[in-house]
Amino acid sequence: MSAPAPATDALSRLQIARDSQGAIRVRLSGRWTLADGLPSTDSVARELESAPAGTRLVFEAAGLETWDSALVSFLFSAAGLAAARGSAVDTSALPEGARRLLDLSLAVPARVMPQTPKDDALTARVGEVALRAWRTAGDALDFLGETVVALGAFLRGRARFRRVDLMHALESAGVGALGIVALINLLIGAVLAFVGAVQLQQFGASIYVANLVAIGITRELGALMTGIVMAGRTGASFAAVLGTMTVNEEVDALRTMGLKPVEFLVLPRVLATSLMLPALVAYADVLGVLGGTFVGVALLDLGAVEYLRATQSSLELRHVVIGLVKSVAFGVVVALTGCYYGVRCGRSAAAVGEATTRAVVMGIVLVVVVDAVFTVLLHLLHL
Amino acid sequence: MGEPQPHVEVQDLTMAFGSRIVQRDIRFQIRRGEIFVIMGDSGCGKSTLMRHMIGLNRPAKGEVLYDGEPLWEADEDTRERFMDRLGVLYQGAALWSSMTLEENVSLPLAERKRLGPGEARDVARLKLALVGLAGFEGHYPAEISGGMRKRAGLARAMALDPEILYFDEPSAGLDPLSSRRLDDLILELRESSGTTIVLVTHELPSIFELGDNAVFLDAERRTMIAQGRPEQLKHSEEPKVRAFLERGRL
């Protein structure tokens, strides 16, 4: 017999030796528990490598005290190594429970799944991303088309959805958002006035803070901030609700009842959000100007009446109308994005989270993109 | 006299997700009033086959015919009208969670049959009573047990008096008593109304008790490997089918 290999650690002891027939004998002793750590099979692998192929592997367990999955896991790995070298494994000396568990784990051979080799080259990855984006764009266009058809049916009075769902969506996208929209726009108005005041005071043009806030809020920031808030709030809610309905097969149930999910689920949400956004933006405009007024009056030597008069004289109707028109577009974008990711959600709980995240991110991006498009168009139209 | 036209016919159906084929060359016929079982091991594509038969997933190849009329060749409006002939009980019942049980059942009646609110409510109450849920009309799906949800799902599936009822794993998640009660209900439905029933299941008691005919899908070979009466299939030439039906080892 050759000299025993050193023990792997103090608790789970492992000795490897060759017997007179050349078989590798692995002597297991001590405690083999998960709490004491998982022993390595490296020494067994080395011994198998150095022995001729087909050498028998014999486990002995005379000094084994306690064991759990740590032992079975070690045996499973060692048996795998032996199989790779064409070696038979003798487990007859192992505790009966460990032997049966090992037999059970080896009963069904690992299934080799055919895998398409993955091309990790940069060009391949770029190509994959581009193809995925192309497919998503096509799918999104399909969805948009379905929504336009549903809207046409609604205008002809033939769309089928529950009025109560429209009412719920109106409440959720309207009254439910009043608090957060008020807070954000009050603060945005105040911040805008503060930044403007600091700069304009240097030129003795403090009174123009009122102009800055009035035009900035009504034309641009009131609608933009409300759109972003709604993407995070209502868009996320639509994606989560519709995503959960998709996972629970509720959307399939609509289809098999001959009801169109786009008409039934998407249309009321798009209508509600695009109707409520202008109302919310009008409310946001008032609060934004109010926020500016607080800062203007506090920082500058202006009375509230004087500030509001300056606001009134600088504010033209077109600025307010532009903000309101934008808000309708933002409402459509937010609702469509939330509903799209909800209805196209996968079929697991994780997919709902993913759909919600994507709806918020894409909703915010699209709101900003639409705003940029409006800005360019309005500039070209001299509005 | 020739054979009567099958109520449902699946012709050379191949199901695939992208380039991955789930099952290929599926062909069978279902007679009117029959209880037909689609069975097979887990993950073989039983529910996917049902989704192809009810118009939710488009086949990669092949066709599904109802009374000789093709489902997938039809335009979308025609396919939508096909849906009035089908009722589906989904694995998790798929009740609309924001609606009461009564609203769940009356919605298809109001939308597809154009019944007024009062009429739809009366029919919904009847359907709920038929599945033993009288008195639960105002409950929401989250307020009742899994077995009751299944029965409510069945009431909704029956709402439009469909010619064919599909059941996706009706016994999944149910205790033996609830499962037995649902099986009895399925049988009673067939006996009383002559509805054709397609059952996706791997529950042996249900297969033997209910099934007039069955098809066995194999996950490894990705095709059907046996077809016939469940009792006959116990003696199938395919060892896997015999083992499945005898709950034995391969």
Side-chain angles (χ1 to χ4, degrees):
Chain A
M1 272 193 181
S2 63
T8 53
D9 58 55
L11 298 166
S12 54
R13 286 188 298 276
L14 172 71
Q15 287 183 313
I16 301 176
R18 299 276 186 87
D19 65 13
S20 51
Q21 277 93 43
I24 301 168
R25 305 193 82 86
V26 181
R27 286 183 192 140
L28 312 169
S29 56
R31 288 207 315 265
W32 285 68
T33 60
L34 290 172
D36 299 318
L38 212 59
S40 159
T41 51
D42 287 353
S43 50
V44 179
R46 278 197 299 276
E47 199 64 28
L48 280 165
E49 284 291 324
S50 62
T55 302
R56 220 155 59 94
L57 183 66
V58 183
F59 288 108
E60 295 175 351
L64 193 64
E65 292 167 18
T66 53
W67 61 272
D68 62 12
S69 293
L71 174 67
V72 185
S73 172
F74 172 84
L75 294 170
F76 181 70
S77 302
L81 292 169
R85 296 281 296 165
S87 300
V89 180
D90 183 349
T91 57
S92 56
L94 289 173
E96 193 195 348
R99 204 173 60 238
R100 289 174 69 166
L101 286 171
L102 180 63
D103 289 348
L104 192 62
S105 63
L106 297 171
V108 180
R111 198 186 290 181
V112 182
M113 302 297 280
Q115 282 188 339
T116 317
K118 198 171 176 186
D119 192 347
D120 276 339
L122 180 65
T123 46
R125 276 183 284 163
V126 170
E128 265 178 34
V129 170
L131 281 173
R132 209 179 308 133
W134 178 252
R135 279 195 295 268
T136 305
D139 192 41
L141 273 178
D142 276 353
F143 180 77
L144 186 63
E146 282 178 57
T147 311
V148 170
V149 170
L151 199 59
F154 171 73
L155 293 174
R156 293 196 308 276
R158 293 178 59 190
R160 290 188 306 211
F161 60 85
R162 294 199 317 158
R163 299 292 174 266
V164 67
D165 287 343
L166 176 64
M167 293 303 158
H168 279 148
L170 282 169
E171 188 191 352
S172 161
V175 180
L178 283 176
I180 183 78
V181 167
L183 178 68
I184 295 291
N185 283 284
L186 196 72
L187 291 174
I188 287 290
V191 169
L192 191 61
F194 182 77
V195 174
V198 170
Q199 298 301 317
L200 291 171
Q201 257 178 336
Q202 296 175 29
F203 305 102
S206 304
I207 190 62
Y208 289 108
V209 167
N211 299 41
L212 176 70
V213 171
I215 296 172
I217 288 287
T218 54
R219 188 182 168 106
E220 195 64 45
L221 286 174
L224 184 63
M225 293 314 296
T226 306
I228 289 172
V229 166
M230 293 302 277
R233 186 187 173 280
T234 307
S237 156
F238 289 170
V241 170
L242 298 190
T244 307
M245 287 183 76
T246 304
V247 171
N248 291 339
E249 297 181 303
E250 292 174 44
V251 176
D252 287 341
L254 281 175
R255 285 201 181 97
T256 45
M257 287 286 175
L259 301 170
K260 293 188 172 98
V262 168
E263 262 183 37
F264 208 80
L265 301 173
V266 177
L267 192 59
R269 287 171 170 81
V270 172
L271 287 173
T273 316
S274 50
L275 280 173
M276 278 296 113
L277 246 288
L280 281 176
V281 167
Y283 171 69
D285 288 350
V286 172
L287 282 150
V289 170
L290 201 61
T293 310
F294 289 146
V295 173
V297 171
L299 279 188
L300 308 168
D301 204 13
L302 292 171
V305 176
E306 194 182 353
Y307 184 95
L308 289 173
R309 263 203 203 116
T311 299
Q312 193 185 10
S313 66
S314 64
L315 200 56
E316 292 175 33
L317 184 62
R318 68 188 167 103
H319 298 311
V320 178
V321 171
I322 284 169
L324 294 177
V325 169
K326 276 185 194 177
S327 70
V328 176
F330 294 164
V332 172
V333 163
V334 164
L336 279 180
T337 313
C339 293
Y340 171 74
Y341 283 107
V343 171
R344 297 292 198 264
C345 174
R347 297 202 167 264
S348 65
V352 178
E354 200 179 314
T356 309
T357 309
R358 286 184 179 190
V360 173
V361 172
M362 189 53 82
I364 292 173
V365 169
L366 288 178
V367 162
V368 175
V369 168
V370 169
D371 189 56
V373 171
F374 263 101
T375 306
V376 173
L377 282 178
L378 292 168
H379 175 72
L380 292 174
L381 294 169
H382 305 290
L383 284 171
Chain B
M1 254 174 69
E3 285 274 305
Q5 189 175 52
H7 200 183
V8 187
E9 186 173 4
V10 173
Q11 286 183 338
D12 299 321
L13 197 82
T14 294
M15 310 182 286
F17 293 116
S19 58
R20 189 173 71 84
I21 293 198
V22 179
Q23 288 280 323
R24 58 158 61 91
D25 304 327
I26 307 292
R27 58 180 78 94
F28 56 83
Q29 296 181 343
I30 302 172
R31 292 191 304 268
R32 191 173 288 278
E34 180 174 66
I35 298 183
F36 189 88
V37 180
I38 298 171
M39 59 181 169
D41 38 359
S42 298
C44 68
K46 302 184 290 291
S47 298
T48 308
L49 173 58
M50 188 193 88
R51 292 176 65 82
H52 282 74
M53 292 173 74
I54 60 177
L56 289 177
N57 287 17
R58 182 176 281 279
K61 204 182 115 219
E63 185 55 275
V64 179
L65 299 124
Y66 286 93
D67 289 324
E69 287 182 69
L71 171 70
W72 289 106
E73 218 175 78
D75 60 46
E76 205 174 319
D77 287 340
T78 313
R79 204 158 48 242
E80 199 180 295
R81 282 198 295 279
F82 263 110
M83 297 302 149
D84 288 349
R85 299 165 65 181
L86 316 178
V88 185
L89 172 59
Y90 291 88
Q91 195 169 337
L95 293 167
W96 298 306
S97 45
S98 62
M99 300 182 205
T100 62
L101 300 192
E102 187 183 287
E103 287 170 336
N104 261 280
V105 183
S106 57
L107 176 71
L109 291 162
E111 296 295 333
R112 300 299 299 174
K113 298 285 186 193
R114 295 283 172 203
L115 295 188
E119 295 165 316
R121 191 172 55 240
D122 289 347
V123 179
R125 283 176 182 244
L126 164 72
K127 299 287 177 181
L128 285 167
L130 283 174
V131 297
L133 287 176
F136 287 90
E137 294 85 358
H139 283 62
Y140 284 90
E143 296 169 345
I144 55 175
S145 70
M148 290 162 89
R149 272 202 288 276
K150 284 274 170 85
R151 281 186 278 142
L154 177 55
R156 188 183 64 184
M158 297 189 311
L160 302 177
D161 292 331
E163 297 167 23
I164 306 158
L165 267 172
Y166 283 87
F167 292 80
D168 188 7
E169 307 275 11
S171 302
L174 296 188
D175 64 82
L177 288 176
S178 304
S179 173
R180 175 61 197 248
R181 199 167 166 202
L182 196 59
D183 282 357
D184 289 346
L185 203 56
I186 293 170
L187 211 51
E188 185 58 37
L189 272 175
R190 196 272 297 269
E191 301 304 327
S192 58
S193 58
T195 311
T196 302
I197 285 165
V198 181
L199 203 59
V200 172
T201 187
H202 49 215
E203 294 287 329
L204 293 180
S206 302
I207 292 171
F208 288 118
E209 191 152 331
L210 303 178
D212 296 320
N213 262 309
V215 63
F216 189 96
L217 307 185
D218 184 39
E220 281 167 18
R221 280 184 268 177
R222 296 184 189 178
T223 191
M224 54 185 275
I225 58 171
Q227 187 181 355
R229 296 178 65 79
E231 282 297 335
Q232 285 173 346
L233 291 180
K234 275 184 177 175
H235 313 290
S236 165
E237 289 173 3
E238 287 287 343
K240 188 170 185 177
V241 177
R242 287 200 309 270
F244 180 95
L245 290 173
E246 298 284 2
R247 207 162 182 263
R249 291 193 175 90
L250 273 172

